[in-house]
Amino acid sequence: MKVRNETDLCLAHQCAPVLAGIKTSNIFMAKGMEEKQLEEIFRDTPLNCRRICQDMYLIYWPDRMQRELTNREIQCFLRLYGYRIFWTQAVLERLSGRMERYKKRQQKFPHELGIFLGYPLEDVRGFIDNQGKNYLYSGYWKVYGDVKEAKRLFRCYRTARAAVAAAVRQGWSIKALAQDGWMESYGGRSIGGF
């Protein structure tokens, strides 16, 4: 096992679908890690890293995030939670503020976070409306809508996790994995049809 460092392995496990290019973003819990360390890992890659609160970071593809924020249904939903400007940096700033207020017990958890993690709008709404109960299926999130599609995505995410973790164990750095086309370099494997 040639793992470069523990941070790479943690990132591989927590952010594999993003590193594999099949998901727009993931949360990374960076306990005891400095922000500069994470920034260095993602410098000169197409991925961004943004502190959301305390040790919670969002690892994301900025162009994809911006594209998703142009969806009118998502914009209408986010307006319910005070989002007014739909540029990536503006919404992430608003989300960060809401997370910080939650951590200080000044407001309820901002469940709209699911939108930024790429969860289907129907599932985010369902979770909020049902207070996390009455879901049809549970995996990476609680599913209230299309169970078949959710199961397919969950399989893809598990496959990505295995592939990214294997690459890190073989000595790949997260910085190298964050580059476009690493899957082709790694062996040309596709992940679940992506």
Side-chain angles (χ1 to χ4, degrees):
M1 181 148 105
K2 300 189 240 180
V3 176
R4 289 172 183 256
N5 63 50
E6 197 61 34
T7 300
D8 280 359
L9 197 54
C10 288
L11 276 161
H13 282 286
Q14 292 181 39
C15 300
V18 172
L19 293 166
I22 60 174
K23 192 171 185 279
T24 299
S25 65
N26 264 106
I27 291 294
F28 177 63
M29 299 304 295
K31 300 280 185 207
M33 189 175 196
E34 289 188 28
E35 192 167 357
K36 288 179 183 179
Q37 261 183 293
L38 273 176
E39 288 173 357
E40 180 56 36
I41 290 170
F42 293 103
R43 183 173 291 123
D44 300 322
T45 75
L47 289 168
N48 278 2
C49 172
R50 170 95 162 56
R51 184 178 174 275
I52 299 298
C53 72
Q54 295 174 342
D55 294 335
M56 180 188 286
Y57 292 83
L58 189 71
I59 310 300
Y60 67 100
W61 295 90
D63 55 333
R64 293 181 192 180
M65 176 83 63
Q66 186 58 58
R67 207 169 30 251
E68 290 171 13
L69 289 170
T70 64
N71 180 301
R72 296 286 182 215
E73 284 185 273
I74 288 175
Q75 289 179 359
C76 288
F77 174 77
L78 290 175
R79 278 190 182 95
L80 298 173
Y81 299 95
Y83 294 83
R84 299 290 179 256
I85 300 169
F86 298 101
W87 290 103
T88 302
Q89 294 310 315
V91 296
L92 294 181
E93 188 66 33
R94 172 86 179 146
L95 176 64
S96 293
R98 288 180 50 77
M99 284 298 294
E100 291 291 349
R101 285 189 293 284
Y102 164 73
K103 293 286 185 178
K104 294 176 184 174
R105 301 183 190 279
Q106 296 171 346
Q107 72 173 47
K108 292 181 181 181
F109 186 85
H111 289 295
E112 75 272 11
L113 172 64
I115 293 298
F116 301 105
L117 296 176
Y119 303 170
L121 180 57
E122 182 177 18
D123 294 339
V124 175
R125 281 184 175 144
F127 184 89
I128 292 168
D129 293 346
N130 290 279
Q131 299 176 350
K133 299 177 176 113
N134 306 318
Y135 50 90
L136 302 172
Y137 188 76
S138 182
Y140 283 82
W141 64 83
K142 290 184 178 175
V143 179
Y144 292 85
D146 190 340
V147 173
K148 184 178 178 181
E149 176 60 13
K151 285 181 176 181
R152 185 188 74 76
L153 283 172
F154 296 166
R155 281 191 304 275
C156 291
Y157 296 170
R158 283 191 301 273
T159 302
R161 183 183 228 177
V164 173
V168 168
R169 281 190 209 98
Q170 291 176 11
W172 284 77
S173 70
I174 290 299
K175 190 172 200 72
L177 295 177
Q179 297 297 327
D180 284 328
W182 80 269
M183 282 303 289
E184 291 79 24
S185 300
Y186 181 63
R189 296 184 191 98
S190 79
I191 296 180
F194 282 91

